[in-house]
Amino acid sequence: MNGNGGIISYGAYIPRLRLQRSAIFAANAWFAGGLKGLAKGERAIANWDEDSVTMAVEAARDCLTGIDRSTVTALSLASTTHPFADRLNSGIVKEALTLADGIASLDVAGSQRAGTSSLIQALNAAANGGTQLCVASELRKARPASEGELVQGDAAAALLVGAGDPIARFIGSHSVTLDFVDHFRASGADFDYSWESRWIRDEGYTKILGGALAEALKSLAVDPAKIDRLLIPISARGVPEGLAKKLGVRPEAVADTLAQKVGDSGVAHPLLMLVAALEQAKPGETIMLVGFGQGCDALLFETTQAIARLPKRDGVSGALARGKADDNYMRFLFHRGLLDLERGMRAEADQKQPGTTLFRNRKTVLGLVGGRCTKTGTVQFPRSEVSVNPNDRAIGTQEDYPLADKQARIVTYTADSLTYSPAPPQYYGTIDFEGGGRMFAEFTDVDDDAVEVGRPMKMMFRIKAVDETRDFVKYFWKAVPVEQPGAKEKSDG
């Protein structure tokens, strides 16, 4: 199928902590010694207050750097790990990004190629006008001492697509759908059930994926030797290289799968690899992207001169640079809900979130939108009818003032070891925003030596608490250090 338009911008998010696979194996070697061959490198792991929605928000914010958000007319969130089965997960992302109420929004799921399939739909829809934000995010659970625990990773990627002057022009796509059950997860189940890896390689990767790619090259009339970057998001050793050789694609065109630094991020991984490729690509390059899951998607792009003019964003390289090695396997299990620790009475507080107040205050809570007095210029959070300016308590002069993208600094802080936190001690304090505005905020992704008065902070969308009685996730914004000293050092966990 041929499309129009292309990619306008890109962004990515990879959680800060990188669990060392050697630590996973060391804890399980007594039982699963055969996992030793997978115990190299590291995998990205989300913090306790992250999920596929929060990661999606951060990838989308990166993608929208320097972009007028009012131009976004549609939003899709692809994942097989949406936190809610019956609540529009992409709607939460929309609120966090403070996008217009009039946009269309859609959750996409059901397959590991949900990200590439939703991207194809958006690219084809670009012919009718409009700009769509395509986000893919994944945070999967794996049974302890399984291969999945070692090879998987958590991440999100976002692409803004539309007509106009794209950085990568969409040439076309080819899709094949087959009910090839290499793995599955029933509704409500925590873990995937996978079939034998050799059968998946021979029947799935070699025959189905290899055949679909050959058909794609033919239908899109592209010379495989002219492909500059082939993106195959499969972490099984030698599979991308073997397919490339069979198809006639140059070996140097096969992209790094990010398996050793991130792990397989499921639905997000094809888009994550595409973001990594676009970061490095020069104008005039031909890029083929592959999505595999109950069939195959193949998308073809050609980069344009506009890619050299795109303002810098964090992307995959920035997210990788922020990483911090971690070897606390027990903490990982606890944060994944796979280890039941005694949390004490302080963890028993009722976390019920009334839907009425959340709806009325959704801009404040989900979008971190404060108020600015149009008379005095005083910024405050939260917004109210009465200005907090001590010299002029003006009434009814407030206008919306988004604070999520404003940098802040620590004014006061506390490290609290008495209150319950899944990652003690709990840090919180008062922060001042550049340009005005002050709020009391929790801190996250912090080290003991990284918190001090005057420290630059940025805001990130995170889980505030979980109402375990009603299975409801409460989201809010937390402050995170702008710079991470000793990012490559091991954590003290």
Side-chain angles (χ1 to χ4, degrees):
M1 180 180 294
N2 292 324
N4 294 286
I7 299 171
I8 298 171
S9 179
Y10 58 80
Y13 177 76
I14 303 170
R16 178 186 179 228
L17 292 181
R18 309 294 154 77
L19 183 61
Q20 304 303 293
R21 293 191 175 105
S22 58
I24 301 175
F25 175 70
N28 295 295
W30 65 274
F31 179 75
L35 296 176
K36 186 175 182 179
L38 299 174
K40 297 179 181 179
E42 56 190 15
R43 55 157 297 178
I45 59 170
N47 206 339
W48 75 267
D49 55 357
E50 296 184 283
D51 63 12
S52 55
V53 164
T54 66
M55 293 192 298
V57 169
E58 295 306 321
R61 292 175 71 197
D62 188 36
C63 179
L64 294 174
T65 300
I67 304 291
D68 180 2
R69 296 188 184 184
S70 66
T71 62
V72 180
T73 59
L75 166 67
S76 64
L77 174 57
S79 179
T80 66
T81 54
H82 290 116
F84 291 94
D86 192 355
R87 182 189 180 191
L88 192 61
N89 297 273
S90 55
I92 305 171
V93 176
K94 170 261 172 189
E95 297 288 1
L97 298 174
T98 62
L99 299 178
D101 290 348
I103 74 166
S105 189
L106 176 69
D107 289 348
V108 185
S111 167
Q112 290 295 290
R113 62 182 172 114
T116 51
S117 295
S118 62
L119 178 58
I120 290 172
Q121 295 298 318
L123 287 162
N124 287 322
N128 299 320
T131 304
Q132 179 162 327
L133 182 60
C134 291
V135 190
S137 182
E138 197 84 293
L139 194 163
R140 292 178 288 179
K141 285 185 178 182
R143 200 180 300 277
S146 67
E147 288 189 11
E149 185 180 46
L150 284 155
V151 303
Q152 292 174 4
D154 310 325
L159 296 164
L160 187 66
V161 304
D165 186 20
I167 62 171
R169 185 169 61 90
F170 179 48
I171 306 300
S173 65
H174 177 79
S175 296
V176 172
T177 298
L178 294 166
D179 189 29
F180 176 72
V181 188
D182 55 339
H183 75 281
F184 68 92
R185 186 173 72 250
S187 296
D190 286 331
F191 309 115
D192 291 351
Y193 185 91
S194 299
W195 291 103
E196 198 269 326
S197 57
R198 182 175 180 180
W199 176 75
I200 297 171
R201 177 188 292 264
D202 294 346
E203 192 69 31
Y205 300 152
T206 302
K207 293 183 180 179
I208 296 176
L209 180 54
L213 287 178
E215 293 175 11
L217 292 170
K218 182 178 179 180
S219 65
L220 295 172
V222 57
D223 181 355
K226 298 292 181 64
I227 293 177
D228 297 293
R229 299 179 188 271
L230 178 62
L231 317 181
I232 301 179
I234 294 174
S235 57
R237 187 177 302 172
V239 169
E241 293 80 5
L243 288 172
K245 182 177 181 180
K246 186 176 181 180
L247 294 169
V249 177
R250 294 174 293 115
E252 59 269 26
V254 180
D256 178 13
T257 63
L258 305 174
Q260 292 302 305
K261 299 177 181 179
V262 180
D264 180 355
S265 59
V267 167
H269 213 65
L271 272 60
L272 191 73
M273 289 184 63
L274 180 55
V275 171
L278 291 172
E279 283 185 292
Q280 303 170 3
K282 295 180 174 58
E285 291 191 10
T286 300
I287 300 174
M288 175 166 277
L289 173 67
V290 176
F292 180 77
Q294 284 74 63
C296 173
D297 291 327
L299 298 82
L300 191 66
F301 298 94
E302 182 181 22
T303 56
T304 71
Q305 294 294 329
I307 199 168
R309 301 191 296 269
L310 186 71
K312 182 175 175 55
R313 53 257 295 116
D314 285 344
V316 172
S317 60
L320 289 175
R322 183 173 174 263
K324 177 177 179 178
D326 181 30
D327 58 9
N328 195 326
Y329 178 64
M330 293 286 284
R331 180 172 56 199
F332 165 73
L333 292 179
F334 177 54
H335 287 175
R336 277 294 196 273
L338 301 175
L339 181 65
D340 190 14
L341 297 180
E342 172 57 53
R343 294 182 288 177
M345 288 188 293
R346 290 187 176 91
E348 296 175 2
D350 190 358
Q351 297 289 348
K352 182 177 182 179
Q353 170 65 69
T356 50
T357 55
L358 178 59
F359 176 72
R360 285 196 294 266
N361 299 287
R362 63 189 183 279
K363 284 187 177 181
T364 301
V365 176
L366 299 178
L368 201 68
V369 177
R372 178 182 179 276
C373 178
T374 56
K375 183 179 179 182
T376 65
T378 302
V379 178
Q380 63 187 73
F381 184 87
R383 172 179 170 169
S384 67
E385 282 300 300
V386 181
S387 173
V388 298
N389 189 317
N391 299 315
D392 191 341
R393 300 291 190 181
I395 300 175
T397 59
Q398 297 278 310
E399 64 179 0
D400 284 350
Y401 191 79
L403 291 166
D405 293 326
K406 303 290 185 182
Q407 188 165 295
R409 291 186 179 275
I410 297 176
V411 179
T412 64
Y413 71 89
T414 298
D416 191 341
S417 296
L418 294 178
T419 189
Y420 170 72
S421 170
Q426 181 173 345
Y427 281 94
Y428 50 81
T430 303
I431 57 174
D432 276 354
F433 290 98
E434 289 186 354
R438 171 175 288 192
M439 71 175 286
F440 186 80
E442 292 183 31
F443 303 163
T444 190
D445 284 2
V446 296
D447 299 322
D448 292 338
D449 60 352
V451 182
E452 59 184 359
V453 173
R455 178 69 191 251
M457 306 289 278
K458 62 182 179 181
M459 306 307 292
M460 281 193 172
F461 192 67
R462 294 296 178 97
I463 295 172
K464 170 70 174 176
V466 178
D467 179 356
E468 296 179 351
T469 302
R470 304 162 192 87
D471 293 325
F472 190 84
V473 182
K474 300 166 64 175
Y475 297 99
F476 193 52
W477 294 80
K478 298 181 182 180
V480 177
V482 171
E483 301 159 346
Q484 296 291 348
K488 291 302 180 182
E489 297 177 3
K490 286 190 175 182
S491 72
D492 58 3

